[in-house]
């Protein structure tokens, strides 16, 4: 290979969210020449884009931050147990400043295509402005929830009021005071948005297709003395996350729900319902997400709670999901969500009964009736996990297209590489433990694995890595096997690859890895210890 043909960068990273920032830092430490391309105008990824009212964590703030730098942990105070988006964005900007990351990040730079060049063992990356960049390794840090989706409704462009998707919220403050506002969508984002808009809008109309099981967030402020205590326990907190299936601070109870009397079960559910965060979902009896009868009992408990909180039982009927049990889809956490429907300025429209026919100049036509609005908010979520991949023209060996390879669902090795796509490492990719994780914990694991791998290759003088077909087939089969025990694989959701807003996404696949983060980490460590078994290295 001549000097002329050498790629310009050792690595190109796409995306400057939690994943891309830490990967840049680690590769710089290895002495590599790295370029990050980011579509946005600043760092932060999820926390840069999702500025809608009420956007916040449902991971405990102090379990979400990076753990890799003691200095950073010492310098940062979280002010709420579940930090609001502006605080998290400030945190990620601090990280970028502290580690001087910005000088290697090119903003306003959306990657349109990435093609593998076998002759130079490099990736040719083309930005939407037409500029072309080359690197030995391509690392995708494009986010599991970054490709937002609009509903498939006619006339969206015709609306003359203000309209906005929650993941493209304006950077300037938006007031709802005195306005007639529509919110379309009642997933995790919709729930957070609705609670805030209901406080000041003259009239809020919520258009719901699928109700979700929501349980209380129970957020509170972190006073300085509590923060000092948290800081003194960081090692313990991260160790606890490390051993936990989804890297949260909540650990499933080792008992089956049938090991206790009905009264004890009820009391345990009550106790968890009163706790903050995902305690009720992740800290419950070990069988509630696997055994139908156990799940039914849990679901019945949540139904009772919703009925007690909503005054009009006809509205409660609409808010109670009937097509899946509690916890088998991503659980939105709420702060007074159900009480919103007791307010006189809020109306709920079930669009399964009366579908949205079209967007008009003045609002929405629904079930033959025209609704007038000053603002329409699309809280219609994301083309999750593979969506951001589908939006880039990835071409691997012999011009193979990633989109085509994954047409019937993802095929990967460890959710970190794809056979036919050498030297491409996919952080938080499909079939990676990160898909079910308190994400930064798994992001750090992914980044450490990739960084160690690239360090190993450099030390051995290797320039090409690709998963073997056998390793990929075995991993993909293992992924489906891990999912088979969970009730959630029997339900339509973004975890099972179903998204009615995306053409061709009606067939169930499995996007996640359900073996748990500790098992995944152990597998990665074994593979590394065995000279990166399952990868062909040259
Ligand atoms: C509203 C919301 C709340 C969440 N809350 C939690 C939580 O409480 N706990 C939790 O664990 N997780 C949460 N998540 C998941 C969250 O996405 C992760 O925690 C984490 O931020 C992922 O970081 P990332 O860097 O992998 O991806 P992202 O933060 O999504 O960053 C990806 C970046 O890649 C860029 N990008 C994508 N495609 C291209 C392209 N073609 N060219 C250039 N740039 C591109 C994007 O602009 C983006 O900046 C939440 C997600 C959302 C949307």
């Amino acid at each position: 290979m001549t000097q002329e043909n050498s790629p310009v960068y050792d690595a190109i990273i796409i995306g400057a969210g939690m994943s891309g920032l830490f990967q840049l830092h680690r590769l710089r430490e290895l002495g590599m020449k790295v370029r990050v391309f980011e579509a946005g105008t600043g760092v932060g990824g999820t926390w840069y884009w999702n500025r809608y009212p009420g956007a916040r964590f449902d991971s405990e703030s102090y379990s979400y931050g990076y753990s890799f730098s003691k200095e950073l942990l010492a310098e940062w105070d979280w002010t709420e147990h579940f930090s609001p988006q502006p605080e998290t964005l400030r945190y990620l900007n601090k990280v970028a400043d502290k580690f001087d990351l910005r000088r290697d990040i090119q903003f306003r730079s959306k990657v349109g295509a990435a093609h593998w060049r076998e002759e130079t063992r490099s990736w040719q990356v083309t930005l939407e402005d037409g500029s072309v960049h080359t690197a030995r390794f391509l690392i995708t840090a494009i986010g599991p929830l970054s490709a937002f989706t609009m509903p498939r409704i006619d006339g969206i462009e015709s609306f003359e009021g203000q309209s906005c998707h929650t993941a493209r919220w304006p950077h300037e403050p938006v007031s709802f005071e005195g306005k007639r506002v529509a919110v379309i969508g009642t997933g995790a984002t919709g729930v957070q948005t609705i609670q805030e808009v209901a406080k000041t809008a003259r009239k809020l109309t919520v258009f719901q297709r699928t109700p979700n099981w929501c349980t209380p967030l129970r957020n509170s402020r972190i006073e300085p003395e509590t923060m000092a205590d948290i800081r003194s326990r960081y090692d313990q907190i991260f160790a606890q996350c490390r051993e936990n299936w989804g890297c949260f601070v909540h650990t499933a109870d080792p008992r089956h729900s049938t090991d206790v009397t009905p009264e004890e079960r009820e009391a345990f559910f009550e106790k968890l319902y009163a706790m903050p965060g995902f305690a009720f979902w992740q800290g419950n009896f070990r069988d509630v997400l696997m055994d139908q009868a156990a799940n039914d009992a849990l679901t019945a408990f949540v139904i009772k709670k919703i009925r007690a909180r909503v005054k009009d039982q006809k509205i409660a009927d609409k808010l109670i999901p009937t097509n899946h049990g509690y916890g088998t889809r991503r659980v939105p956490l709420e702060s007074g969500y159900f009480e919103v429907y007791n307010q006189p300025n809020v109306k709920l429209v079930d669009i399964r009964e009366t579908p949205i026919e079209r967007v008009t100049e003045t609002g929405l036509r629904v079930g033959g009736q025209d609704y007038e609005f000053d603002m329409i908010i699309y809280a219609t979520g994301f083309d999750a996990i593979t969506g951001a991949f589908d939006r880039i023209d990835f071409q691997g060996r012999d011009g193979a297209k990633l989109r085509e390879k994954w047409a019937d669902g993802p095929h990967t090795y460890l959710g970190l590489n794809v056979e036919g796509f050498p030297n491409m490492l996919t952080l938080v990719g499909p079939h990676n433990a990160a898909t079910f994780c308190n994400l930064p914990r798994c992001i750090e694991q992914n980044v450490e694995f990739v960084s160690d791998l690239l360090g190993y290759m450099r030390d051995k003088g290797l320039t090409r890595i690709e998963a073997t077909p056998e390793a990929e087939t075995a991993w993909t089969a293992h992924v489906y096997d891990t999912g088979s025990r969970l009730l959630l694989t029997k339900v339509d959701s973004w975890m099972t690859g179903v998204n009615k807003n995306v053409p061709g996404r009606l067939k169930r696949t499995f996007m996640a890895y359900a073996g748990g983060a500790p098992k995944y980490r152990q597998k990665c460590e074994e593979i590394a210890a065995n000279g990166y078994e399952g990868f062909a290295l040259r």
Side-chain angles (χ1 to χ4, degrees), residues 112-117 122-126 138 393-396 401:
H115 296 174
W116 171 248
R117 297 284 175 246
S122 65
W123 280 93
Q124 183 177 298
V125 171
T126 308
L138 176 65
D393 173 31
F394 287 108
Q395 289 187 26
K401 286 180 180 281

Side-chain angles (χ1 to χ4, degrees), residues 14-19 37-39 44-47 49-50 52 57-59 64 109-111 141-146 189 382 392 428 437-440 443:
I14 315 175
M18 285 292 288
S19 301
F37 294 116
E38 165 56 55
T46 288
W47 308 105
W49 292 110
N50 291 268
Y52 62 86
F57 287 151
D58 35 34
S59 294
Y64 187 97
S109 299
K110 191 163 186 182
V111 172
I142 51 186
L145 298 173
S146 69
T189 289
F382 302 91
I392 296 174
V428 195
C437 199
N438 175 20
L439 260 139
I443 286 171

Side-chain angles (χ1 to χ4, degrees), residues 95-152:
V95 172
D97 292 337
K98 180 173 175 63
F99 299 101
D100 188 21
L101 299 177
R102 278 176 234 279
R103 66 184 153 87
D104 289 322
I105 306 174
Q106 189 173 312
F107 295 107
R108 295 187 177 82
S109 299
K110 191 163 186 182
V111 172
H115 296 174
W116 171 248
R117 297 284 175 246
E118 191 67 56
E119 55 290 1
T120 50
R121 291 193 177 175
S122 65
W123 280 93
Q124 183 177 298
V125 171
T126 308
L127 304 187
E128 283 195 339
D129 67 6
S131 61
V132 177
H133 309 264
T134 55
R136 172 78 66 223
F137 295 99
L138 176 65
I139 302 177
T140 62
I142 51 186
L145 298 173
S146 69
F148 72 99
T149 49
M150 290 292 283
R152 293 155 79 193

Side-chain angles (χ1 to χ4, degrees), residues 67-76 94 98-99 231:
S67 71
F68 72 90
S69 162
K70 292 251 187 260
E71 240 181 68
L72 177 63
L73 289 168
E75 288 169 11
W76 183 260
K94 178 190 164 67
K98 180 173 175 63
F99 299 101
R231 189 170 282 121

